[in-house]
Amino acid sequence: MSSQGRVILAGVPLGNVGDATDRLRDALATADVIAAEDTRRARRLAADLGVEPVGQIVRYDDVTEERHTDGLRDRAVGGATVLLVTDGGMPSVSDPGYRLVVAAIAADVPVSVLPGPSAVTTALALSGLPSARFCFEGFPPREPGKRRSTYAALASEPRTLVFFESPRRIGKSLQDAAAAFGADRPAAVCRELTKTHEEVRRGTLGSLAEWAEGGLLGEITVVVGGAPPPSADDAPDAAELARRVALAEAGGVPRKEAMRAVAHAVGISRSVVYDAVQASKRDMH
């Protein structure tokens, strides 16, 4: 056990073991504790890299993260080097790690990172969409209503958006994104990054939703172009404004907030959107 305990977050290959760094090999070989999202995958990675870990390999995933964090922190306080690895990519980025980092910092335990692969930046670079400014939104909510609400709140975001998504939900998720952002919004779906069956499909949200309707296989990252600058000249008609508000409401967004979001996205005053909603209600009667 080392005299100075520490926590190391290591980026591991997304799929191609050739992306592993020498520093990752050394850390796997020498760490006192390896906290792994999947212990079997961690052992397989070490074997593929020709490394035989000397430290204990323990499970540290979404299920065990909360109850194992204190124990791992205490091991580091006691002088152990704790190496944190996920199934692929960088810990803490939609994967376990954040709690351990916070706990280590609070206990004055040094924390360092071994840079490595990231599905977020890999997909962003491959998408062909603007990358100077972007925001990562993780996994959209599983529940359709909450997912639609999330997308509605992001409809006017000017930065490029990056999401992870389940292969089982990708079709419905893209449909909801097309409804919230507009079917003609440019996007890219990146599947199985760095692996044998890597695929990048670029197009509009509408065309991608149709392509993925039956679901896809593998791990998926979605990149969506940011909202274009609003222009009053391009404002939708009253019926379309009312439809957008109704869509946001169906996703759980309160009416006032939905009208405010639609007005901001289109670049018009909220009173115009309000009048459109009221007109739609009169037409229904």
Side-chain angles (χ1 to χ4, degrees):
M1 186 176 292
S2 59
S3 58
Q4 172 66 62
R6 56 180 177 151
V7 170
I8 303 174
L9 279 65
V12 302
L14 302 174
N16 190 327
V17 72
D19 294 332
T21 65
D22 288 341
R23 293 179 68 194
L24 174 61
R25 287 183 175 86
D26 291 343
L28 286 169
T30 61
D32 300 303
V33 183
I34 299 173
E37 189 175 10
D38 185 320
T39 57
R40 291 169 300 179
R41 288 197 182 190
R43 290 189 176 92
R44 189 183 313 129
L45 174 62
D48 289 343
L49 295 176
V51 171
E52 187 169 344
V54 297
Q56 179 187 15
I57 301 178
V58 299
R59 179 182 171 193
Y60 191 71
D61 57 11
D62 292 336
V63 176
T64 61
E65 182 178 14
E66 186 170 359
R67 68 175 182 266
H68 286 178
T69 292
D70 289 350
L72 290 172
R73 176 206 58 204
D74 292 345
R75 293 287 296 274
V77 168
T81 293
V82 177
L83 176 68
L84 179 60
V85 296
T86 66
D87 292 345
M90 180 61 64
S92 291
V93 182
S94 276
D95 275 322
Y98 172 75
R99 282 190 176 94
L100 182 56
V101 170
V102 171
I105 292 172
D108 290 327
V109 171
V111 178
S112 60
V113 169
L114 302 184
S118 167
V120 176
T121 52
T122 301
L124 180 66
L126 282 171
S127 71
L129 295 168
S131 57
R133 299 178 67 236
F134 72 95
C135 54
F136 174 57
E137 292 292 328
F139 281 92
R142 296 182 180 184
E143 299 84 354
K146 291 182 179 180
R147 184 170 61 238
R148 288 192 288 267
S149 175
T150 295
Y151 285 156
L154 292 169
S156 60
E157 171 57 59
R159 294 172 293 178
T160 298
L161 299 160
V162 184
F163 301 92
F164 291 157
E165 189 51 285
S166 160
R168 298 185 302 277
R169 294 190 295 272
I170 184 62
K172 294 294 186 182
S173 186
L174 287 172
Q175 290 174 14
D176 291 340
F181 301 145
D184 59 348
R185 183 79 70 90
V189 176
C190 304
R191 187 179 70 85
E192 293 290 87
L193 289 170
T194 78
K195 300 176 185 177
T196 302
H197 299 292
E198 176 179 288
E199 180 180 19
V200 179
R201 183 67 67 102
R202 304 173 184 88
T204 63
L205 279 173
S207 66
L208 291 171
E210 183 176 351
W211 164 69
E213 186 175 2
L216 301 173
L217 297 176
E219 297 185 346
I220 297 169
T221 307
V222 179
V223 186
V224 180
S231 171
D233 294 336
D234 298 328
D237 60 21
E240 174 61 16
L241 292 172
R243 189 193 73 82
R244 294 189 185 186
V245 172
L247 178 66
E249 283 190 272
V253 180
R255 178 169 296 179
K256 287 185 178 180
E257 184 179 333
M259 290 191 293
R260 186 181 301 111
V262 170
H264 180 72
V266 176
I268 57 179
S269 70
R270 190 162 67 90
S271 63
V272 174
V273 179
Y274 174 82
D275 291 342
V277 172
Q278 295 301 111
S280 176
K281 290 169 61 177
R282 289 195 298 270
D283 291 343
M284 291 176 63
H285 293 85

